[in-house]
Amino acid sequence: ECSNSDSTIEAQGKLTVDTKDYAYLGGYVGYGYSLENCHNAVSLTYSLSASHVGGLAGRLSGPTVKDCSNSGVISAGQSDYTGGLVGELSTGSPFTLTDLTNTGRVQGHDYTGGLFGRAYAGYNTRSDSAFTATVARLTNNGAVSGNQYVAGLMGQLVATAWWDSNWHPSIIVSASEWHNCGDVTAQHASTVAGLVFRVETNNAGSKLTNYSNTGLLNGSSASENALFGSATNFTVAKQS
């Protein structure tokens, strides 16, 4: 188990690669692999326009984030890919994202979420199989704000697999227990959502069960249709 608390990180540095600026700022690691049982209470402040800021990690390349939480305030109003836990997870295999909680306020720019700015799985495999990515028991209670593509849990979630025209692998996202209670605000009013702004998979069997949003979206109560900005090959189960 790893945990930290009772401090504030204020960062000003950046890494420039091919004219793009990266902050890679996190309470534990700037750029790491996977995280399990990690808890952050440190507040992070970043004022430059470089991307990737998160309460635990700025960016991860591994497939697993489990049993993690953040209670620190994340202030990165000019940074794309900002999350309460992870700015961006980008991995080459189906991910497992389970038992994750944020209670801190999160401020970012484009692709900002209470848990992840963006979570991406791109699996390149010679197979016709359907692989499972599990995304379950996600909770955000903190206010989330940004410029565009802003949501209570994630700005964007993508899970897809491919090889060539002779092979047709896919990823099924098994999703359950997604809950947002934090108010969500976007400068571009049409780019805000209660749970995830953009969801994309390449298997129509991907499905979400047991979910809720009680946070206000740009100051107004959210309708059922406002849980997502768009969803491709992703079904949201009806609730009684």
Side-chain angles (χ1 to χ4, degrees):
E1 180 177 357
C2 50
S3 62
N4 58 14
S5 62
D6 299 328
S7 64
T8 299
I9 296 174
E10 295 186 12
Q12 293 293 330
K14 64 181 180 179
L15 173 68
T16 301
V17 180
D18 296 330
T19 73
K20 293 184 179 180
D21 294 334
Y22 300 92
Y24 292 145
L25 175 63
Y28 285 101
V29 61
Y31 196 145
Y33 191 67
S34 289
L35 293 173
E36 294 189 38
N37 202 15
C38 289
H39 309 281
N40 176 63
V42 170
S43 293
L44 305 180
T45 300
Y46 187 77
S47 58
L48 301 183
S49 59
S51 64
H52 295 83
V53 177
L56 299 177
R59 185 171 183 175
L60 296 177
S61 60
T64 303
V65 184
K66 298 171 61 177
D67 300 301
C68 292
S69 67
N70 172 69
S71 59
V73 174
I74 311 301
S75 299
Q78 300 302 312
S79 295
D80 296 343
Y81 305 113
T82 296
L85 299 185
V86 179
E88 181 183 31
L89 180 145
S90 183
T91 183
S93 58
F95 42 52
T96 298
L97 312 175
T98 57
D99 300 291
L100 307 176
T101 302
N102 175 65
T103 58
R105 178 174 57 83
V106 180
Q107 180 188 26
H109 196 249
D110 295 351
Y111 296 105
T112 296
L115 301 179
F116 296 84
R118 181 177 189 248
Y120 172 84
Y123 193 26
N124 192 356
T125 180
R126 183 179 294 177
S127 171
D128 283 322
S129 298
F131 301 88
T132 299
T134 301
V135 186
R137 298 177 297 282
L138 311 183
T139 302
N140 175 63
N141 293 313
V144 182
S145 62
N147 183 53
Q148 58 184 346
Y149 320 131
V150 183
L153 300 181
M154 306 183 200
Q156 184 180 43
L157 184 150
V158 177
T160 185
W162 71 92
W163 186 256
D164 60 25
S165 60
N166 297 313
W167 301 89
H168 302 91
S170 63
I171 295 179
I172 296 175
V173 174
S174 175
S176 62
E177 299 282 354
W178 291 11
H179 303 289
N180 175 60
C181 299
D183 294 344
V184 186
T185 305
Q187 294 291 323
H188 294 265
S190 62
T191 61
V192 66
L195 297 180
V196 180
F197 184 73
R198 287 178 174 166
V199 182
E200 179 183 347
T201 83
N202 71 330
N203 189 307
S206 299
K207 185 176 183 179
L208 171 65
T209 60
N210 200 348
Y211 53 88
S212 65
N213 175 70
T214 57
L216 301 179
L217 302 186
N218 283 340
S220 299
S221 297
S223 68
E224 186 79 4
N225 294 331
L227 297 175
F228 302 90
S230 64
T232 302
N233 292 321
F234 187 79
T235 301
V236 179
K238 291 187 178 297
Q239 299 191 120
S240 57

